[in-house]
Amino acid sequence: MTRVFSGVKPTGHLTLGNYLGAMRQWATVDQHRAEALFCIVDLHALTVDHDPARVRRLSRQAATLLLAAGLDPRLCTVFVQSHVDEHARLSYLLECVATDGEMRRMIQYKEKAAREQRRGGSVRLSLLTYPVLMAADILAYRADEVPVGDDQVQHVELTRDLAVRFNQRYGHTFVVPRATRPKVAARVMNLQDPTAKMGKSDDTGPGIVYLLDEPDVVRKKVMRAVTDSGRDVVYDRESRPGVANLLEILAACSGGNPAALGGVYESYGALKKDTAEAVVEVLRPVQERHKELCADPGYVEGVLRDGAERARAMSRPTVDAAYRAIGLLPAGVDGGALG
Ligand code: TYM
């Protein structure tokens, strides 16, 4: 059976981009057709300036939202990265396979490091090595597929390179995974700056629709979205990024096709109005279920406990095999492990 792994980082409140680009696919498709694991990757949240209490809060919230979005613990495994030691264990081995140059070429590293420096802060070493930890997340489970939005594809490509290199040098240990992307809305853009991704840790609140935004807040944000000069509604990401973004969001929420929807509208106002309502309707059931789950925190905790147990059992043999393959002496003496 195909195995799927993906994750979400608790560095901010989850957004419409996270939902349309990743979570919805996990809930409606992946968990039904594959053996799937979904992880709240809290160790990754420590790569930038962070507040410990906030990371804890956001981790719990992300877990609750994943379940609210429809992940079903009877069908898939939902867990928190730091509850399973294998991720950090494997990450170190992969650091011994990756190169410094490879890390510095990662677009997200370049962007985030530049942003940190502009703010006068220092860049954590873990920001540089972050994609190696991400590779460990995926490879520890021998995942075949990694459903992600556009911005994570480069990291999955790196994961493939590391898996191939490790296998060639030390013997076949890892499955070489591939990224999968949704057909529309693989890169939802910021409503106030349609040339930038809608990112949960950005500062431009009015351009970001959060999954827990009240319907009226969603409407206001969409109605105020920056559009382009010109009047006709056409789908062209290059010359009309604002309108193209709205068409993609509408298509993703209503099941249509962005280019075809372009022909339906005669004004930006009408497009915005329908997009706002489509987003409100998509978020409504998620928000309702989120409210129910918040009333039962014991349930979410139980899901995460069981998930971590399953994830440990799944990843342990592969990480142990990688330790042996790379030349580390096994610790156990029973069964002639030292022989
Ligand atoms: P993160 O937390 O930034 O995002 C979680 C998922 O949401 C997708 N996404 C988007 N898709 C479309 N439009 C957007 N504006 C948008 N913003 C976010 C992301 O592509 C992602 O699929 N490094 C990862 C987390 C991670 C991971 C992993 C993912 C760690 N280990 C292993 C897959 C496998 C991240 O920061 O995602």
Side-chain angles (χ1 to χ4, degrees):
M1 197 182 196
T2 304
R3 193 174 279 181
V4 161
F5 182 98
S6 202
V8 59
K9 192 174 55 185
T11 42
H13 297 285
L14 298 187
T15 72
L16 184 65
N18 295 128
Y19 184 71
L20 297 179
M23 292 160 64
R24 188 171 63 163
Q25 182 87 358
W26 305 346
T28 57
V29 182
D30 295 319
Q31 67 172 349
H32 298 285
R33 65 170 184 94
E35 186 175 23
L37 297 110
F38 301 106
C39 186
I40 294 98
V41 289
D42 55 350
L43 296 174
H44 288 275
L46 312 184
T47 56
V48 287
D49 199 17
H50 78 284
D51 166 25
R54 183 164 188 263
V55 170
R56 237 181 331 263
R57 214 168 41 240
L58 289 172
S59 297
R60 203 170 291 126
Q61 190 191 67
T64 310
L65 273 169
L66 290 188
L67 299 174
L71 293 188
D72 180 345
R74 289 167 303 185
L75 299 175
C76 67
T77 301
V78 181
F79 70 106
V80 173
Q81 184 187 31
S82 65
H83 295 178
V84 180
D85 292 341
E86 310 312 319
H87 298 243
R89 264 183 92 212
L90 180 56
S91 185
Y92 179 71
L93 295 202
L94 296 177
E95 280 185 23
C96 301
V97 174
T99 68
D100 178 64
E102 230 164 15
M103 294 300 106
R104 291 186 196 279
R105 278 197 294 277
M106 293 292 118
I107 293 166
Q108 286 216 339
Y109 170 71
K110 290 199 247 184
E111 286 176 358
K112 287 187 181 167
R115 200 185 313 159
E116 252 346 281
Q117 273 157 349
R118 269 200 307 276
R119 285 181 185 150
S122 52
V123 178
R124 294 184 182 184
L125 178 59
S126 54
L127 188 67
L128 181 65
T129 56
Y130 168 120
V132 177
L133 178 58
M134 178 162 162
D137 298 338
I138 298 164
L139 298 181
Y141 297 91
R142 299 175 60 83
D144 303 285
E145 292 177 13
V146 188
V148 285
D150 247 4
D151 62 317
Q152 295 302 321
V153 171
Q154 192 188 31
H155 292 160
V156 181
E157 291 299 316
L158 173 82
T159 304
R160 291 171 61 85
D161 292 346
L162 297 183
V164 168
R165 199 176 304 152
F166 189 103
N167 288 347
Q168 278 171 352
R169 278 190 199 158
Y170 307 114
H172 190 83
T173 309
F174 299 122
V175 168
V176 181
R178 66 184 188 90
T180 60
R181 277 180 287 181
K183 283 195 192 72
V184 275
R187 182 179 285 266
V188 176
M189 308 308 270
N190 188 303
L191 297 174
Q192 288 298 315
D193 176 6
T195 61
K197 186 191 76 170
M198 184 185 283
K200 60 174 127 56
S201 31
D202 299 345
D203 312 319
T204 38
I208 305 171
V209 174
Y210 294 103
L211 295 188
L212 294 178
D213 276 347
E214 297 282 339
D216 275 345
V217 174
V218 174
R219 289 188 185 101
K220 212 175 276 171
K221 287 179 176 175
V222 176
M223 293 309 289
R224 288 185 187 160
V226 168
T227 36
D228 315 293
S229 56
R231 290 239 201 99
D232 43 336
V233 180
V234 284
Y235 180 67
D236 183 341
R237 270 191 164 250
E238 292 297 311
S239 68
R240 302 281 179 87
V243 169
N245 191 34
L246 290 172
L247 286 168
E248 286 223 14
I249 293 172
L250 175 61
C253 293
S254 67
N257 162 307
L261 282 169
V264 172
Y265 290 93
E266 291 191 348
S267 76
Y268 291 168
L271 169 64
K272 284 180 176 176
K273 198 153 178 290
D274 282 6
T275 305
E277 291 313 316
V279 173
V280 166
E281 287 315 311
V282 156
L283 296 187
R284 191 187 304 281
V286 179
Q287 296 184 349
E288 282 171 4
R289 180 92 181 107
H290 178 262
K291 205 186 250 173
E292 288 167 18
L293 287 166
C294 282
D296 190 1
Y299 170 74
V300 179
E301 237 168 72
V303 167
L304 295 178
R305 201 170 39 242
D306 293 352
E309 209 167 295
R310 257 188 278 168
R312 260 181 235 121
M314 282 162 99
S315 54
R316 189 83 201 245
T318 305
V319 178
D320 282 349
Y323 267 64
R324 281 194 299 277
I326 207 168
L328 298 171
L329 190 64
V333 284
D334 51 326
L338 289 176

PDB file of all heavy atoms in Angstrom, residues 60 64 292-304:
ATOM      1  N   ARG A  60      -1.123  22.426  19.862  1.00  0.00           N
ATOM      2  CA  ARG A  60      -2.414  21.841  20.244  1.00  0.00           C
ATOM      3  C   ARG A  60      -3.492  22.298  19.254  1.00  0.00           C
ATOM      4  O   ARG A  60      -4.316  21.522  18.808  1.00  0.00           O
ATOM      5  CB  ARG A  60      -2.759  22.272  21.683  1.00  0.00           C
ATOM      6  CG  ARG A  60      -3.715  21.327  22.347  1.00  0.00           C
ATOM      7  CD  ARG A  60      -3.863  21.613  23.834  1.00  0.00           C
ATOM      8  NE  ARG A  60      -2.678  21.304  24.623  1.00  0.00           N
ATOM      9  CZ  ARG A  60      -2.052  22.164  25.440  1.00  0.00           C
ATOM     10  NH1 ARG A  60      -2.492  23.392  25.574  1.00  0.00           N
ATOM     11  NH2 ARG A  60      -0.991  21.799  26.121  1.00  0.00           N
ATOM     12  N   THR A  64      -5.835  20.041  16.703  1.00  0.00           N
ATOM     13  CA  THR A  64      -7.301  20.124  16.743  1.00  0.00           C
ATOM     14  C   THR A  64      -7.844  20.479  15.359  1.00  0.00           C
ATOM     15  O   THR A  64      -8.841  19.914  14.906  1.00  0.00           O
ATOM     16  CB  THR A  64      -7.729  21.189  17.782  1.00  0.00           C
ATOM     17  OG1 THR A  64      -7.032  20.933  19.006  1.00  0.00           O
ATOM     18  CG2 THR A  64      -9.226  21.140  18.050  1.00  0.00           C
ATOM     19  N   GLU A 292     -16.445  21.884  18.550  1.00  0.00           N
ATOM     20  CA  GLU A 292     -16.804  20.648  19.280  1.00  0.00           C
ATOM     21  C   GLU A 292     -15.560  20.004  19.893  1.00  0.00           C
ATOM     22  O   GLU A 292     -15.568  19.567  21.036  1.00  0.00           O
ATOM     23  CB  GLU A 292     -17.422  19.618  18.315  1.00  0.00           C
ATOM     24  CG  GLU A 292     -18.821  19.961  17.847  1.00  0.00           C
ATOM     25  CD  GLU A 292     -19.243  19.081  16.650  1.00  0.00           C
ATOM     26  OE1 GLU A 292     -18.612  18.015  16.417  1.00  0.00           O
ATOM     27  OE2 GLU A 292     -20.175  19.504  15.960  1.00  0.00           O
ATOM     28  N   LEU A 293     -14.494  19.961  19.103  1.00  0.00           N
ATOM     29  CA  LEU A 293     -13.272  19.297  19.589  1.00  0.00           C
ATOM     30  C   LEU A 293     -12.635  20.054  20.745  1.00  0.00           C
ATOM     31  O   LEU A 293     -12.033  19.454  21.639  1.00  0.00           O
ATOM     32  CB  LEU A 293     -12.264  19.154  18.441  1.00  0.00           C
ATOM     33  CG  LEU A 293     -12.619  18.094  17.391  1.00  0.00           C
ATOM     34  CD1 LEU A 293     -11.756  18.267  16.148  1.00  0.00           C
ATOM     35  CD2 LEU A 293     -12.436  16.687  17.953  1.00  0.00           C
ATOM     36  N   CYS A 294     -12.760  21.385  20.720  1.00  0.00           N
ATOM     37  CA  CYS A 294     -12.185  22.182  21.811  1.00  0.00           C
ATOM     38  C   CYS A 294     -12.877  21.871  23.133  1.00  0.00           C
ATOM     39  O   CYS A 294     -12.291  22.029  24.203  1.00  0.00           O
ATOM     40  CB  CYS A 294     -12.308  23.677  21.510  1.00  0.00           C
ATOM     41  SG  CYS A 294     -11.077  24.214  20.347  1.00  0.00           S
ATOM     42  N   ALA A 295     -14.120  21.427  23.043  1.00  0.00           N
ATOM     43  CA  ALA A 295     -14.859  21.099  24.265  1.00  0.00           C
ATOM     44  C   ALA A 295     -14.415  19.740  24.817  1.00  0.00           C
ATOM     45  O   ALA A 295     -14.834  19.334  25.884  1.00  0.00           O
ATOM     46  CB  ALA A 295     -16.356  21.093  23.961  1.00  0.00           C
ATOM     47  N   ASP A 296     -13.578  19.040  24.062  1.00  0.00           N
ATOM     48  CA  ASP A 296     -13.169  17.696  24.484  1.00  0.00           C
ATOM     49  C   ASP A 296     -11.660  17.513  24.290  1.00  0.00           C
ATOM     50  O   ASP A 296     -11.212  16.686  23.489  1.00  0.00           O
ATOM     51  CB  ASP A 296     -13.959  16.673  23.626  1.00  0.00           C
ATOM     52  CG  ASP A 296     -13.804  15.255  24.139  1.00  0.00           C
ATOM     53  OD1 ASP A 296     -13.118  15.067  25.159  1.00  0.00           O
ATOM     54  OD2 ASP A 296     -14.356  14.347  23.502  1.00  0.00           O
ATOM     55  N   PRO A 297     -10.864  18.293  25.044  1.00  0.00           N
ATOM     56  CA  PRO A 297      -9.408  18.242  24.815  1.00  0.00           C
ATOM     57  C   PRO A 297      -8.813  16.863  25.095  1.00  0.00           C
ATOM     58  O   PRO A 297      -7.797  16.491  24.511  1.00  0.00           O
ATOM     59  CB  PRO A 297      -8.848  19.296  25.790  1.00  0.00           C
ATOM     60  CG  PRO A 297      -9.944  19.598  26.751  1.00  0.00           C
ATOM     61  CD  PRO A 297     -11.239  19.249  26.090  1.00  0.00           C
ATOM     62  N   GLY A 298      -9.464  16.094  25.971  1.00  0.00           N
ATOM     63  CA  GLY A 298      -8.969  14.748  26.276  1.00  0.00           C
ATOM     64  C   GLY A 298      -8.950  13.881  25.018  1.00  0.00           C
ATOM     65  O   GLY A 298      -8.064  13.044  24.844  1.00  0.00           O
ATOM     66  N   TYR A 299      -9.921  14.100  24.162  1.00  0.00           N
ATOM     67  CA  TYR A 299      -9.995  13.301  22.932  1.00  0.00           C
ATOM     68  C   TYR A 299      -8.767  13.581  22.050  1.00  0.00           C
ATOM     69  O   TYR A 299      -8.107  12.657  21.585  1.00  0.00           O
ATOM     70  CB  TYR A 299     -11.286  13.619  22.173  1.00  0.00           C
ATOM     71  CG  TYR A 299     -11.320  13.011  20.792  1.00  0.00           C
ATOM     72  CD1 TYR A 299     -11.530  11.649  20.627  1.00  0.00           C
ATOM     73  CD2 TYR A 299     -11.094  13.803  19.660  1.00  0.00           C
ATOM     74  CE1 TYR A 299     -11.522  11.085  19.350  1.00  0.00           C
ATOM     75  CE2 TYR A 299     -11.085  13.243  18.389  1.00  0.00           C
ATOM     76  CZ  TYR A 299     -11.292  11.881  18.244  1.00  0.00           C
ATOM     77  OH  TYR A 299     -11.271  11.324  16.990  1.00  0.00           O
ATOM     78  N   VAL A 300      -8.468  14.867  21.860  1.00  0.00           N
ATOM     79  CA  VAL A 300      -7.328  15.236  21.007  1.00  0.00           C
ATOM     80  C   VAL A 300      -6.032  14.673  21.598  1.00  0.00           C
ATOM     81  O   VAL A 300      -5.199  14.105  20.885  1.00  0.00           O
ATOM     82  CB  VAL A 300      -7.240  16.774  20.841  1.00  0.00           C
ATOM     83  CG1 VAL A 300      -6.037  17.159  19.981  1.00  0.00           C
ATOM     84  CG2 VAL A 300      -8.525  17.332  20.227  1.00  0.00           C
ATOM     85  N   GLU A 301      -5.901  14.792  22.914  1.00  0.00           N
ATOM     86  CA  GLU A 301      -4.691  14.265  23.566  1.00  0.00           C
ATOM     87  C   GLU A 301      -4.548  12.760  23.333  1.00  0.00           C
ATOM     88  O   GLU A 301      -3.456  12.265  23.052  1.00  0.00           O
ATOM     89  CB  GLU A 301      -4.785  14.528  25.066  1.00  0.00           C
ATOM     90  CG  GLU A 301      -3.631  15.329  25.598  1.00  0.00           C
ATOM     91  CD  GLU A 301      -3.922  15.809  27.003  1.00  0.00           C
ATOM     92  OE1 GLU A 301      -3.906  14.963  27.923  1.00  0.00           O
ATOM     93  OE2 GLU A 301      -4.200  17.013  27.171  1.00  0.00           O
ATOM     94  N   GLY A 302      -5.664  12.057  23.437  1.00  0.00           N
ATOM     95  CA  GLY A 302      -5.658  10.606  23.225  1.00  0.00           C
ATOM     96  C   GLY A 302      -5.246  10.261  21.803  1.00  0.00           C
ATOM     97  O   GLY A 302      -4.460   9.337  21.577  1.00  0.00           O
ATOM     98  N   VAL A 303      -5.759  11.027  20.842  1.00  0.00           N
ATOM     99  CA  VAL A 303      -5.401  10.786  19.436  1.00  0.00           C
ATOM    100  C   VAL A 303      -3.888  10.946  19.258  1.00  0.00           C
ATOM    101  O   VAL A 303      -3.229  10.130  18.606  1.00  0.00           O
ATOM    102  CB  VAL A 303      -6.156  11.765  18.503  1.00  0.00           C
ATOM    103  CG1 VAL A 303      -5.569  11.739  17.097  1.00  0.00           C
ATOM    104  CG2 VAL A 303      -7.648  11.441  18.476  1.00  0.00           C
ATOM    105  N   LEU A 304      -3.335  11.993  19.860  1.00  0.00           N
ATOM    106  CA  LEU A 304      -1.898  12.260  19.697  1.00  0.00           C
ATOM    107  C   LEU A 304      -1.051  11.190  20.389  1.00  0.00           C
ATOM    108  O   LEU A 304       0.017  10.812  19.899  1.00  0.00           O
ATOM    109  CB  LEU A 304      -1.548  13.652  20.242  1.00  0.00           C
ATOM    110  CG  LEU A 304      -2.186  14.834  19.500  1.00  0.00           C
ATOM    111  CD1 LEU A 304      -1.799  16.149  20.160  1.00  0.00           C
ATOM    112  CD2 LEU A 304      -1.796  14.848  18.018  1.00  0.00           C
TER     113      LEU A 304
END
